[in-house]
Amino acid sequence: PTPPKPEGKKQRTGRGVETLFRTNYRAQLELTQLADVKANIMITINGALISVTIGFVSTQIQQQHWLLYPSALLLIGSVTSLGLAVLAARPSVLRGRVTLDEIKGNQNTMSALFFGAMARMSREEFEEAIRFLMGDSEALYDNLSRDLYGLGVRVDEKYRHLRRAYNVFFLTLLCAVIAFMSGFYSVTS
């Protein structure tokens, strides 16, 4: 349902409102792109770390058994961090359908402008929905608001996964370095 409008206040339309939406869309998209870049960096680093660890340990484990624990720790942490980074980079498509009647009644919970909703409509339904939205500024702005909200929720989800990936990566490196040092120290002393 659409939230009630404040009494005595007329909903503004025009340049200021369009600037608000344009600025917020741009910010959300830039944050999404930044999260994707950071996720790809984490995927690359963890993938390289896994490859190097497996390559090095597989040749050395027979002679130096102490490498097993720190290497396993490094591999488990890197795979976990890589998985979280993949979750951050993974596209997310909401399931659901928006009907023309919901749009005309301004009762749709998902934005009609979201590509997942568009893809589930026929071209004729979509064109009629767009014509309706162009003629009803309240419904248009409500749909833009829903779309912007959905983008924000997705950005938040990406950054939560990314934050976990970085935390796991940092803790893994810290613990693995300590484990390698203590294993090396126990062998040499």
Side-chain angles (χ1 to χ4, degrees):
T2 304
K5 304 283 183 269
E7 285 189 39
K9 294 264 183 170
K10 185 179 177 194
Q11 184 174 358
R12 289 186 55 191
T13 58
R15 193 178 198 91
V17 175
E18 289 172 11
T19 301
L20 170 104
F21 280 111
R22 189 174 22 262
T23 303
N24 279 287
Y25 268 110
R26 187 179 310 118
Q28 296 292 354
L29 292 175
E30 286 173 2
L31 286 171
T32 299
Q33 289 172 340
L34 183 61
D36 288 341
V37 167
K38 289 178 180 254
N40 285 323
I41 290 169
M42 288 301 292
I43 291 167
T44 301
I45 290 172
N46 280 296
L49 196 55
I50 291 167
S51 296
V52 168
T53 302
I54 289 173
F56 175 73
V57 170
S58 64
T59 61
Q60 300 295 320
I61 198 74
Q62 295 298 332
Q63 296 85 12
Q64 301 183 29
H65 298 288
W66 65 272
L67 288 173
L68 182 63
Y69 173 71
S71 299
L73 180 67
L74 189 59
L75 286 172
I76 290 168
S78 293
V79 167
T80 303
S81 180
L82 181 124
L84 289 166
V86 167
L87 287 175
R90 180 184 66 173
S92 175
V93 179
L94 299 174
R95 300 289 177 220
R97 179 162 162 65
V98 176
T99 66
L100 197 53
D101 291 335
E102 289 173 332
I103 294 167
K104 287 182 176 179
N106 205 11
Q107 298 301 313
N108 50 314
T109 55
M110 181 189 302
S111 171
L113 304 172
F114 175 65
F115 80 93
M118 286 180 207
R120 289 175 183 78
M121 299 173 131
S122 69
R123 193 185 87 212
E124 292 78 20
E125 286 177 314
F126 177 71
E127 288 172 352
E128 189 175 341
I130 291 298
R131 277 193 297 275
F132 171 77
L133 291 174
M134 289 188 310
D136 185 338
S137 62
E138 181 179 342
L140 175 64
Y141 289 140
D142 287 347
N143 273 272
L144 287 170
S145 296
R146 289 181 192 113
D147 197 44
L148 196 55
Y149 175 78
L151 284 172
V153 167
R154 181 59 186 134
V155 168
D156 179 63
E157 182 183 326
K158 282 179 173 282
Y159 276 94
R160 277 188 285 119
H161 287 308
L162 203 50
R163 190 175 315 115
R164 289 183 190 124
Y166 274 99
N167 288 342
V168 168
F169 181 74
F170 174 73
L171 287 173
T172 296
L173 285 182
L174 182 68
C175 293
V177 166
I178 291 170
F180 275 116
M181 288 172 53
S182 64
F184 181 74
Y185 179 74
S186 67
V187 169
T188 58
S189 49

